[in-house]
Amino acid sequence: MLGTNIKIKKDLWTKVKKVAAAGGYSSPEEFVVHVLEREVAKLDDAQSDEEIVRKLKGLGYID
Amino acid sequence: MSRIRRPRSMRTAAGLALMLLALASAWLYPHSTQSAYIGPGAGFAFLGSFLTLVAGFFLSLLSLLLWPFRMAWRAAGRRQGFRHARVRKIIFLGLDGLDARLTERLMAEGKLPNLAALAAEGGYRRLRTTCPALSPVAWSTFATGVGPGKHNIFDFLDRSLKSYLPELSSARVGKAERVLRIGRLRIPLTRPPIELRQKSQPFWKILGKQGIGSTILRVPITFPPEKFNGRLLSAMCTPDLKGTQGSFSQFTTRVETAIYENGSRYPLHRVAGGFAGEIEGPQDTFIEGHPVLRIPFRVTVDHGAAELHAQGRRCRLEPGEYTGWQPLSFRTAIGTKAAGMARFLLTETEPEFSIYMSPINIDPERPALPISHPSYYASYLAGLLGTFATLGMAEDTWALNEGAIDEDAFLRQAYDIYAEREAMFLETLESTRRGVVACVFDTSDRIQHMFYRRVGTADGHARTIEEMYCRMDDLVGKIRPFVDRDTALFVLSDHGFCAFRRGVNINAWLSDNGYLHLHNGAREGGAYFEGVDWSRTRAYALGLGGFYLNVEGREAQGIVARGPEAEQLEREIIDKLSALRDSDGAAPIRAVYATRLLYHGPYLDHAPDFMVGYNEGYRASWDGAVGKVSAQILENNPKAWSGDHCVDPALVPGVLFSNRKFDAADPGIEDLAPTALELFGLPVPAWMDGKPLMVR
């Protein structure tokens, strides 16, 4: 995955590592991404109904 | 920040590209003058470009000089990776949905000699599956060694917290963020984001970091493929070229206009010497309104022999015989092409004429979306072994449900896909000396879904499922020559199977019991919660495994407060729903689970609040799974899709065989990832929920 690096102060990074391990994350990066995604999701635009139905079409388990 | 840093190989590639660019510029424009633009910034632009070229040249030179050292370092890393290994190679053969009870019965009857021999040599146990017992959930646990609360896959479907609409739980293909508009043209300036929503880390990624490579073939929930030290071909939830999970087409003289359902029916017009029609492909996203791209085709019929003509190619159509994969190239408004492929089947010739076309699979030789890692791996396999199905759920169950193909045609298709996969698997085993080879076969799952109703009948397909188990046993025999004393072989399934005779509409039950309300007191709603009054709705169901509370501050229109109110409601619903009875007094539900007590991990908030453990014979109804409130809570399942596994996990354990003896009284599918790490002498990370099987 191509991406952007963000600098985080060492003290904060140490705390991030502890919290991530205690929370069951597989890495501090996963924890940081999860926290950011949760916040960004609040601003995400919802897809149209037609688009959602189209993408799920053909999934054997649902009609 | 290893997940988001540009990999070393990419940096090298970028450096080389810059160097080539520099050389090309010097050759193309040896004395060119900068006359097109004069003004402020031109000098900076020239200087900037010049410095970039110089820097690029020296970086590339440095990269080339360091190449032998990097290769040596990598080789040393590989040796280091295997330093404490107890095996040289691990093979995982996944047989999706292979049921423990049926496997045990057939073994006892002597019909599965290879599996029986494996059990005698090493061991066999029933394998505990996940809750819910669904492939995306269970295979994610296989890959990561963690439960759903840590890998974030709880069902096939997830819901939008804003709109309550369903989304695929495993992957999200978005739109380009920035688009240049020129008249009706829409040119994307950024790549559309494609995101794998599975979290945690697959064990092959952890092995790769230690220099132990893996080849992962069609293990579910690997689309889009992530970079790691190894090769991977994506599986379940890889879309077709239209972006759907698989839309078949039927071209027929039986309809006048197109009918769009799970598959689509298109008119076939009678013309001189045959028939004419149009293949509908993906949307042209480069044009306003995204019109559908089409390929016209013609079918000639001469003395009973039919030929399909499209895009300057032709292929023969024989009744009851599938064509090979036919390339289909859809040209967009800006001249780019989307490459797909499909197989055709002539299903009737008189008095009506009909042709079935499979979903348009992404062509592995020219993939329109990333379907493998490295990106060229799919093309490599296609070049080596011939092209192959790439769609996530490639066996066309909806075409059989809707009568576009019959049972024999479905079986042929399923076994053709099986043959493609087997060739891929055996070739990989042939060429892999060490590391991991994992391959999942879906044939066992799809055939049980579609032929369960035939078991125990006098129908010609009464033994189709049993025969499929024997074919899977043959496969185990074929891979035995690749299993030497330094190899650990595991044959496993993600869940078992049982009948699906009656559907339970949880939304209808919630409505009848006052937890879900429709506008204007209506008794029935539409799909995707059409008609639901969210301001009065406290719970709703979506997907196959569970259902949700409408929580304040979580759902956009949530009304249930977290804490005591939610917990009281949770207890009340569990008590009432567990007491549900069918018309004959049978209990459709074995248990209802509160997921806050079932799961742990950082993604618990994404989980349904309840999981329903259906009894054998029952499942979430077709309507209920897509958020529809129907008039009846319980209804018969009339479809060919007559077997399922979306029941209480205790009723559908999978199987686990190994050539090595192993100690584990109650092995779970989460134990395989830590077992792989342990066999290669690596420590098991603290975040993993599984425990290594004590393999001897």
Side-chain angles (χ1 to χ4, degrees):
Chain A
M1 192 195 318
L2 297 178
T4 306
N5 294 324
I6 298 171
K7 285 185 179 171
I8 294 178
K9 283 186 178 172
K10 266 191 181 173
D11 292 354
L12 179 58
W13 187 243
T14 307
K15 285 178 189 165
V16 163
K17 283 199 276 192
K18 276 186 190 163
V19 174
Y25 293 94
S26 69
S27 65
E29 288 85 353
E30 186 193 344
F31 167 65
V32 171
V33 168
H34 183 208
V35 171
L36 293 177
E37 278 179 346
R38 208 163 42 196
E39 294 306 308
V40 169
K42 294 172 187 168
L43 303 172
D44 271 357
D45 292 331
Q47 297 177 77
S48 72
D49 295 12
E50 295 78 23
E51 200 175 333
I52 285 162
V53 173
R54 189 178 61 77
K55 282 183 179 171
L56 294 175
K57 196 173 161 184
L59 185 64
Y61 290 80
I62 60 165
D63 195 352
Chain B
M1 305 285 275
S2 59
R3 268 178 80 89
I4 54 178
R5 197 170 267 168
R6 192 184 293 243
R8 209 174 289 166
S9 58
M10 290 298 294
R11 290 199 296 268
T12 311
L16 286 170
L18 271 173
M19 185 178 74
L20 288 173
L21 191 67
L23 292 172
S25 303
W27 180 69
L28 283 171
Y29 307 109
H31 306 292
S32 66
T33 52
Q34 304 291 318
S35 58
Y37 173 74
I38 308 255
F44 288 112
F46 173 75
L47 193 61
S49 306
F50 179 73
L51 286 175
T52 303
L53 290 177
V54 171
F57 174 76
F58 282 107
L59 278 174
S60 306
L61 192 65
L62 189 65
S63 175
L64 280 174
L65 290 172
L66 289 176
W67 183 79
F69 299 100
R70 287 190 293 115
M71 287 299 107
W73 180 257
R74 266 192 207 176
R78 274 199 293 273
R79 273 198 297 279
Q80 190 77 0
F82 284 91
R83 200 173 50 165
H84 300 295
R86 291 167 51 203
V87 294
R88 201 176 55 183
K89 186 167 65 182
I90 302 179
I91 302 171
F92 288 108
L93 166 57
L95 301 173
D96 198 302
L98 209 75
D99 183 63
R101 290 169 303 179
L102 185 51
T103 303
E104 288 162 14
R105 179 169 72 75
L106 294 174
M107 274 203 298
E109 292 172 4
K111 292 174 177 167
L112 307 176
N114 293 300
L115 284 170
L118 196 57
E121 179 188 341
Y124 163 72
R125 294 278 194 289
R126 291 185 173 192
L127 187 65
R128 192 167 24 78
T129 182
T130 48
C131 184
L134 283 172
S135 293
V137 186
W139 287 116
S140 292
T141 291
F142 161 77
T144 58
V146 302
K150 291 183 185 171
H151 63 53
N152 193 40
I153 306 294
F154 300 96
D155 198 314
F156 274 102
L157 302 181
D158 188 10
R159 83 295 192 206
S160 160
L161 291 171
K162 282 186 174 174
S163 65
Y164 298 88
L165 289 171
E167 303 171 336
L168 264 186
S169 64
S170 60
R172 187 183 285 144
V173 181
K175 291 177 179 168
E177 289 264 322
R178 290 187 296 139
V179 175
L180 177 66
R181 294 163 181 249
I182 306 171
R184 290 193 64 223
L185 277 181
R186 300 287 180 268
I187 314 291
L189 299 176
T190 53
R191 276 172 177 254
I194 307 174
E195 175 202 359
L196 176 67
R197 299 174 72 186
Q198 183 194 73
K199 304 295 184 184
S200 203
Q201 289 187 49
F203 67 85
W204 49 83
K205 196 166 178 178
I206 299 169
L207 291 174
K209 286 176 189 166
Q210 302 301 320
I212 300 168
S214 304
T215 302
I216 309 298
L217 298 168
R218 298 286 294 187
V219 174
I221 315 304
T222 46
F223 171 82
E226 291 210 308
K227 290 185 171 70
F228 75 109
N229 175 12
R231 308 178 294 182
L232 181 144
L233 186 65
S234 294
M236 181 175 273
C237 295
T238 303
D240 63 13
L241 198 66
K242 292 182 176 183
T244 77
Q245 288 299 303
S247 310
F248 72 85
S249 303
Q250 188 189 36
F251 305 99
T252 178
T253 52
R254 289 178 180 274
V255 300
E256 300 281 321
T257 55
I259 301 169
Y260 298 94
E261 293 165 342
N262 269 301
S264 301
R265 290 178 162 77
Y266 301 100
L268 202 53
H269 305 290
R270 293 179 193 275
V271 294
F275 304 89
E278 267 186 341
I279 295 167
E280 281 195 4
Q283 293 174 315
D284 188 349
T285 53
F286 296 106
I287 288 279
E288 184 185 35
H290 299 178
V292 169
L293 295 165
R294 295 166 199 275
I295 296 175
F297 71 89
R298 209 161 47 81
V299 178
T300 56
V301 182
D302 188 16
H303 296 92
E307 269 190 346
L308 178 80
H309 301 253
Q311 297 190 310
R313 282 185 294 271
R314 62 183 184 175
C315 71
R316 197 169 175 82
L317 295 170
E318 300 278 0
E321 295 280 328
Y322 283 98
T323 66
W325 288 107
Q326 300 300 312
L328 298 169
S329 184
F330 296 90
R331 186 184 283 273
T332 67
I334 62 165
T336 57
K337 289 177 184 171
M341 55 180 202
R343 298 180 73 193
F344 296 82
L345 176 71
L346 187 56
T347 53
E348 61 178 340
T349 53
E350 284 182 350
E352 304 293 343
F353 196 92
S354 301
I355 301 167
Y356 157 83
M357 183 185 82
S358 72
I360 305 173
N361 283 229
I362 291 171
D363 187 339
E365 294 196 67
R366 293 164 294 162
L369 285 174
I371 57 167
S372 69
H373 171 75
S375 56
Y376 57 79
Y377 182 52
S379 317
Y380 163 79
L381 282 175
L384 189 70
L385 303 166
T387 198
F388 52 83
T390 57
L391 179 62
M393 291 181 71
E395 299 82 0
D396 199 348
T397 54
W398 273 112
L400 177 53
N401 270 339
E402 298 197 353
I405 56 174
D406 61 20
E407 289 178 326
D408 291 331
F410 176 82
L411 263 187
R412 277 199 302 280
Q413 186 189 64
Y415 278 121
D416 285 351
I417 294 165
Y418 167 85
E420 292 169 0
R421 190 95 29 103
E422 183 188 284
M424 221 178 263
F425 185 35
L426 295 180
E427 196 286 324
T428 305
L429 290 175
E430 186 81 53
S431 60
T432 303
R433 285 192 305 117
R434 57 186 187 174
V436 171
V437 177
C439 183
V440 174
F441 287 78
D442 310 304
T443 327
S444 35
D445 179 82
R446 307 302 184 268
I447 287 178
Q448 291 185 94
H449 274 304
M450 305 314 286
F451 289 90
Y452 221 91
R453 63 195 169 138
R454 301 297 186 207
V455 175
T457 67
D459 184 86
H461 284 293
R463 294 169 63 82
T464 293
I465 289 180
E466 195 175 306
E467 286 159 9
M468 176 273 294
Y469 273 66
C470 295
R471 289 279 294 262
M472 297 304 122
D473 184 74
D474 290 344
L475 175 62
V476 174
K478 287 180 190 175
I479 65 171
R480 287 313 302 256
F482 301 103
V483 182
D484 58 21
R485 51 183 298 188
D486 294 324
T487 301
L489 166 66
F490 295 96
V491 179
L492 73 146
S493 64
D494 55 335
H495 52 68
F497 248 89
C498 59
F500 168 25
R501 289 185 290 271
R502 300 270 283 165
V504 183
N505 189 320
I506 298 291
N507 283 312
W509 183 87
L510 290 168
S511 174
D512 276 13
N513 286 272
Y515 300 113
L516 183 152
H517 292 271
L518 295 168
H519 286 294
N520 305 320
R523 291 276 301 140
E524 283 188 68
Y528 308 117
F529 303 112
E530 186 189 338
V532 170
D533 179 355
W534 293 108
S535 68
R536 296 192 296 144
T537 290
R538 290 185 286 165
Y540 61 100
L542 183 74
L544 299 154
F547 62 102
Y548 304 84
L549 292 177
N550 191 21
V551 175
E552 196 177 23
R554 186 180 70 181
E555 274 83 350
Q557 300 177 65
I559 59 168
V560 178
R562 289 180 195 257
E565 185 188 337
E567 285 169 25
Q568 164 61 26
L569 185 58
E570 179 190 282
R571 278 193 296 275
E572 186 184 312
I573 288 177
I574 289 176
D575 287 347
K576 277 193 189 176
L577 185 56
S578 303
L580 177 69
R581 290 294 177 268
D582 204 345
S583 52
D584 62 356
I589 293 171
R590 188 171 181 266
V592 182
Y593 304 97
T595 53
R596 68 185 174 86
L597 306 174
L598 192 67
Y599 302 143
H600 60 282
Y603 303 100
L604 188 56
D605 218 28
H606 298 190
D609 296 293
F610 305 89
M611 280 291 167
V612 184
Y614 293 100
N615 256 321
E616 200 158 343
Y618 295 88
R619 197 203 82 170
S621 74
W622 295 102
D623 284 347
V626 293
K628 183 176 176 181
V629 180
S630 51
Q632 301 293 322
I633 296 171
L634 288 141
E635 58 193 12
N636 285 333
N637 168 32
K639 297 189 192 300
W641 181 288
S642 51
D644 219 304
H645 43 80
C646 309
V647 297
D648 194 298
L651 301 176
V652 281
V655 299
L656 177 66
F657 292 86
S658 180
N659 65 328
R660 303 283 184 116
K661 297 199 182 303
F662 58 93
D663 295 332
D666 179 30
I669 196 163
E670 70 278 11
D671 296 332
L672 276 307
T675 300
L677 298 180
E678 198 270 339
L679 280 171
F680 281 117
L682 299 180
V684 177
W687 73 76
M688 280 195 177
D689 296 325
K691 300 279 175 281
L693 304 171
M694 300 307 288
V695 178
R696 296 195 293 278

